[in-house]
Amino acid sequence: MEMLWIVLCTHIPYEQVAIKKKSHPWLNTRCEKAIKRKNDAEGNVTFDDTRAECSQILVEEHLKYIAKLKAKISKLKKGSKQWWRLNRQLLNKRSKLSSVPPLRDGIVWVNTPKEKAELFAKTFAAKTVLPPETVDCPFFGAPDTELSGFVVLRSRYTAKLFKALDESKATGPDQIPASILKQIGKEIAIPFTRLCRRLLKEGCWPTVWRVHHICPLYKRGSAFNPGNYRGVHLTAVLSKIAEKVIGRDLVSYLHTGKFGAHQWAFTPGLSARDLVTALVMSWILAVCTGHKVATYLGDVSGAFDRVFKDYMFAKLHSTGVGTQYLNFLDSYLQPRRAAVVVEGTASDEFEITDTVFQGTVLGPPLWNIFFSDVTQPASSLGGDPSLFADDLTVFQKFAKTESNEQIHRHMHLCRTRVHKWGRVNRVAFDPSKEHVVVIHPTLGEGDPFKLLGLLIDHKLIMDVGIEKILSQARPKIRAILRTKPHYNVAELITQFKTHIWGIMETHNGGIFHASNHLVDRFDASQRHFLENLGIDERYAFLEHNFAPPSLRRNIGVLGLLHKRVLGLSHPIFQKLLPFHADVFGSLRQGEHTRQLYGHVLIVQAQHSLHARSIFGMVYVYNRLPQELVDCATIASFQSGLTHMARTRCQNGDPDWSKAFSCRD
């Protein structure tokens, strides 16, 4: 029987099917009675009247439900957890998996919450096991500066942390909710600060805060496979506040370049979208100056879950972290107890070791320190590496005459050295997420790859990436339109701004260079939405500040250029977008005093690609009024651009939606 079951599971195809709930939240007792009366009247002369009465009752209760939700939404802080939850209810949108389905453990199926929790516990515990230790021992060097001496922990800062607590956050294992701590934060700030001072001085971390509750979150693939779930760690709210109080100076110190110049994650002022923009711009510049670009993408398997603490402490010491903090972190990173919770049922506790602990405040910066020197193997071969948390991207320029075979051999050597770093540091890279791609509009090769959420093809056409974005937006647009009977135009537009713009605009920098017929699809989607509302783009912009995607994209990119001018962006943008005066020693006549240079004089090929890319927007930026580029903030600068576009729209300019465009 066992063999038969294995054969059946192996060879009989199956697919996961989402089962829709038959009921709706507005179907209350009154609705159920009306439906029953209608069903009972079927075949009688009164059926038509009863059916009409039932329909009327259903409509009334549905409208009451919608009105109640809208009233609740209006009282909540925009963007809060409850706000988003109620908005999803209003759109009749449910999460992919409301509960954990039966799980498969080999050939055995587990069904009860306890069994599921125990299986998840076994799966998550296995992820914390370090790879075998090697004999290689790197030298991390002595620190140039040191963070040591007397550390000031102020109760005023602690009180601010209590006051800023988000009451919607889940309660940790200690069952002390954030709402209560927020109310009493002012009274307990001083004694809690004294406790934190003692913890740091004595180098210890309370046992009561060494407990984690783990909630499995479905990622992708088969929902029946426990390996396709990510564990979300819940820790005590008080422990997180203590981490912020004790680690304030430590984290600030580490943010002063200790992560290296290549790490973009968990760093103030940097984001994934900026990294994607910088990489795509670098590739475009390389291609337009007559090169191929080889790109290697690597991803750590079980990041955060597997950290060789001996090496991490050595790296912390090499960055200048003093003895006091090291002693504290040694206690902080001692093994902890965890339990997986499924449908309110907890597994038996198990031990988690050799990790920087997900769900903590200090975990991300500690990971950044540990992972920072992974860039050295790539840099030694002439590559240009970038990091975002556990994602490694390395690209290198090659001459067009270089064969793709030779390029692949070189990038394979880079991959080999990265894997050697992994063996030394006891880090495993996931082979399924590794890619080597040769990027060039005509000479490139390789499958489409995902870069921090954006799907990119080796020709930089961006058709697959744009289609992916639109496929995520379309169902939500249809859901918003289904609520048209219950919303006015202004409310529907607000819903679109809330749910759709975030999807469409997250990777504007990465898709900006795409051809007109591709990026125009975003405008077409928004126009289709407006047509269903019975209004046009001009009215929507003037009355509801609902700008077309093309205009918002142009203003967003100009904001990126202004951010570089103000010196607020990553140093890579200073290299990609130098000042005109720094290159030529003088300014161009008749333009403002903050001119950038878009490398136009060194472009050798793909002139149209360069012209419609962000480099082409440099010409637009250089022609802006002096008073606009003198704006001290990005917000005021973009507000000025919007005002200029609005003025053109009011004056009847037929091309107002293409304001600030670098395209023909």
Side-chain angles (χ1 to χ4, degrees):
M1 285 297 294
E2 203 170 286
M3 288 297 298
L4 177 62
W5 180 249
I6 294 174
V7 171
L8 292 175
C9 292
T10 305
H11 297 286
I12 296 181
Y14 71 92
E15 65 177 339
Q16 183 183 342
V17 179
I19 301 175
K20 296 183 178 180
K21 294 182 179 180
K22 294 181 179 180
S23 63
H24 298 283
W26 60 84
L27 293 180
N28 52 23
T29 304
R30 185 187 178 206
C31 295
E32 292 173 355
K33 290 180 179 179
I35 294 171
K36 186 177 185 304
R37 286 197 301 271
K38 183 198 73 171
N39 293 337
D40 292 342
E42 191 170 358
N44 300 331
V45 294
T46 60
F47 177 73
D48 290 340
D49 293 338
T50 308
R51 182 175 60 180
E53 181 188 3
C54 178
S55 299
Q56 181 63 30
I57 291 174
L58 293 178
V59 170
E60 289 176 359
E61 294 302 322
H62 187 208
L63 291 175
K64 289 179 182 178
Y65 170 78
I66 295 294
K68 186 177 179 181
L69 281 182
K70 288 168 67 176
K72 288 182 178 179
I73 291 172
S74 64
K75 297 177 181 178
L76 295 173
K77 181 182 178 183
K78 186 177 180 181
S80 64
K81 190 175 181 179
Q82 294 97 329
W83 188 89
W84 279 109
R85 179 174 58 81
L86 292 179
N87 266 277
R88 285 194 291 269
Q89 288 184 26
L90 199 59
L91 298 179
N92 197 24
K93 179 181 181 297
R94 294 183 290 271
S95 56
K96 293 181 179 178
L97 288 175
S98 57
S99 61
V100 177
L103 301 174
R104 188 168 60 188
D105 184 13
I107 62 172
V108 179
W109 288 88
V110 298
N111 299 282
T112 68
K114 181 66 174 179
E115 291 175 334
K116 296 175 186 177
E118 294 295 347
L119 180 57
F120 277 125
K122 182 176 71 173
T123 303
F124 294 151
K127 292 182 178 180
T128 65
V129 179
L130 287 173
E133 189 172 2
T134 65
V135 296
D136 298 318
C137 183
F139 175 72
F140 298 108
D144 296 326
T145 59
E146 186 171 340
L147 175 67
S148 61
F150 184 70
V151 180
V152 179
L153 305 182
R154 300 189 181 277
S155 59
R156 185 181 302 174
Y157 175 66
T158 307
K160 289 182 179 179
L161 293 177
F162 278 110
K163 186 179 180 179
L165 281 174
D166 186 354
E167 298 182 28
S168 67
K169 294 295 184 182
T171 303
D174 61 356
Q175 297 299 304
I176 303 177
S179 57
I180 294 179
L181 294 174
K182 187 172 185 176
Q183 294 178 23
I184 65 173
K186 187 176 180 180
E187 286 74 20
I188 67 172
I190 292 177
F192 191 80
T193 305
R194 290 172 179 169
L195 171 64
C196 292
R197 290 170 183 164
R198 185 173 178 179
L199 294 178
L200 179 60
K201 182 180 179 181
E202 298 182 3
C204 62
W205 189 249
T207 304
V208 70
W209 292 344
R210 299 183 189 272
V211 181
H212 291 217
H213 283 174
I214 305 176
C215 299
L217 180 66
Y218 171 69
K219 296 186 297 184
R220 67 182 69 86
S222 173
F224 310 120
N225 182 1
N228 292 333
Y229 290 75
R230 176 172 64 88
V232 178
H233 290 236
L234 300 179
T235 57
V237 178
L238 281 173
S239 73
K240 293 181 179 180
I241 295 177
E243 290 178 64
K244 291 180 180 179
V245 173
I246 298 173
R248 183 185 186 186
D249 288 349
L250 172 64
V251 174
S252 298
Y253 175 76
L254 295 178
H255 279 309
T256 59
K258 306 305 177 184
F259 299 152
H262 306 290
Q263 180 61 264
W264 292 65
F266 317 120
T267 304
L270 302 180
S271 65
R273 67 179 67 185
D274 285 345
L275 175 56
V276 171
T277 301
L279 289 174
V280 172
M281 288 179 65
S282 300
W283 299 340
I284 290 174
L285 183 60
V287 167
C288 293
T289 53
H291 298 88
K292 293 179 181 178
V293 179
T295 302
Y296 162 72
L297 297 101
D299 184 273
V300 173
S301 177
F304 286 75
D305 294 329
R306 299 171 181 170
V307 175
F308 190 17
K309 289 191 294 185
D310 292 348
Y311 280 11
M312 188 186 69
F313 279 110
K315 295 174 184 180
L316 284 168
H317 174 70
S318 69
T319 62
V321 177
T323 304
Q324 187 177 30
Y325 273 117
L326 291 177
N327 290 337
F328 165 76
L329 290 173
D330 183 55
S331 174
Y332 172 83
L333 294 173
Q334 290 300 309
R336 300 188 181 186
R337 294 175 292 119
V340 179
V341 180
V342 177
E343 299 172 19
T345 302
S347 69
D348 295 336
E349 288 189 346
F350 60 96
E351 191 176 70
I352 48 177
T353 61
D354 296 309
T355 172
V356 292
F357 304 116
Q358 297 190 42
T360 61
V361 175
L362 295 177
L366 291 176
W367 169 261
N368 275 1
I369 287 293
F370 176 73
F371 199 51
S372 60
D373 60 332
V374 73
T375 59
Q376 294 179 1
S379 300
S380 65
L381 292 173
D384 195 340
S386 299
L387 301 175
F388 194 88
D390 60 332
D391 291 316
L392 169 65
T393 305
V394 182
F395 78 90
Q396 189 168 348
K397 296 190 297 184
F398 293 89
K400 286 175 61 177
T401 56
E402 196 87 21
S403 69
N404 289 346
E405 291 77 12
Q406 291 174 315
I407 293 174
H408 274 283
R409 281 197 294 270
H410 183 89
M411 299 310 293
H412 179 73
L413 178 60
C414 174
R415 177 180 177 271
T416 301
R417 293 194 179 184
V418 169
H419 280 221
K420 181 181 178 182
W421 178 95
R423 289 192 299 273
V424 171
N425 288 268
R426 303 177 73 179
V427 168
F429 287 84
D430 189 349
S432 65
K433 297 181 180 179
E434 289 186 306
H435 303 276
V436 174
V437 182
V438 180
I439 297 174
H440 193 273
T442 57
L443 304 173
E445 64 177 20
D447 297 326
F449 59 95
K450 186 173 287 187
L451 177 65
L452 300 177
L454 177 63
L455 200 59
I456 300 177
D457 59 285
H458 69 266
K459 294 183 178 182
L460 294 179
I461 297 174
M462 304 309 298
D463 52 344
V464 291
I466 289 174
E467 175 56 33
K468 182 68 174 179
I469 295 171
L470 290 172
S471 67
Q472 295 171 347
R474 291 190 195 105
K476 292 183 172 61
I477 294 175
R478 289 194 293 267
I480 294 172
L481 289 174
R482 284 197 297 269
T483 67
K484 190 168 64 171
H486 318 295
Y487 276 133
N488 59 39
V489 170
E491 291 171 330
L492 287 165
I493 287 176
T494 299
Q495 288 293 326
F496 192 100
K497 291 179 179 179
T498 302
H499 297 281
I500 308 302
W501 275 1
I503 299 173
M504 286 187 174
E505 299 179 358
T506 298
H507 293 297
N508 271 349
I511 64 159
F512 189 83
H513 64 279
S515 299
N516 290 347
H517 74 279
L518 290 174
V519 294
D520 285 347
R521 295 175 66 186
F522 294 102
D523 293 74
S525 293
Q526 187 162 308
R527 279 196 300 270
H528 171 73
F529 173 76
L530 293 176
E531 288 171 0
N532 278 271
L533 302 189
I535 60 177
D536 59 16
E537 285 186 319
R538 184 175 181 275
Y539 176 85
F541 181 47
L542 294 178
E543 296 298 324
H544 302 285
N545 198 29
F546 195 50
S550 55
L551 179 59
R552 288 182 55 83
R553 191 162 49 249
N554 291 336
I555 292 176
V557 167
L558 288 173
L560 173 70
L561 299 184
H562 194 62
K563 184 178 181 181
R564 181 268 173 271
V565 168
L566 295 178
L568 302 176
S569 58
H570 191 277
I572 192 173
F573 287 104
Q574 299 176 12
K575 179 182 178 181
L576 290 170
L577 299 165
F579 283 111
H580 190 277
D582 292 341
V583 178
F584 298 99
S586 62
L587 295 173
R588 295 178 61 174
Q589 297 297 318
E591 298 180 350
H592 58 73
T593 58
R594 292 185 167 188
Q595 300 165 24
L596 297 172
Y597 173 59
H599 306 278
V600 64
L601 297 181
I602 61 173
V603 173
Q604 303 174 8
Q606 304 296 327
H607 295 273
S608 61
L609 172 62
H610 180 270
R612 65 176 185 263
S613 71
I614 293 177
F615 295 108
M617 290 295 287
V618 169
Y619 178 72
V620 178
Y621 184 87
N622 288 345
R623 297 184 66 188
L624 293 175
Q626 183 70 51
E627 62 271 15
L628 198 56
V629 299
D630 286 338
C631 290
T633 65
I634 309 297
S636 60
F637 172 77
Q638 292 181 320
S639 178
L641 292 173
T642 303
H643 178 72
M644 291 176 63
R646 181 178 296 275
T647 302
R648 289 180 59 176
C649 183
Q650 290 172 335
N651 293 336
D653 186 343
D655 294 327
W656 66 268
S657 63
K658 300 179 181 178
F660 319 115
S661 177
C662 62
R663 302 168 184 261
D664 297 332

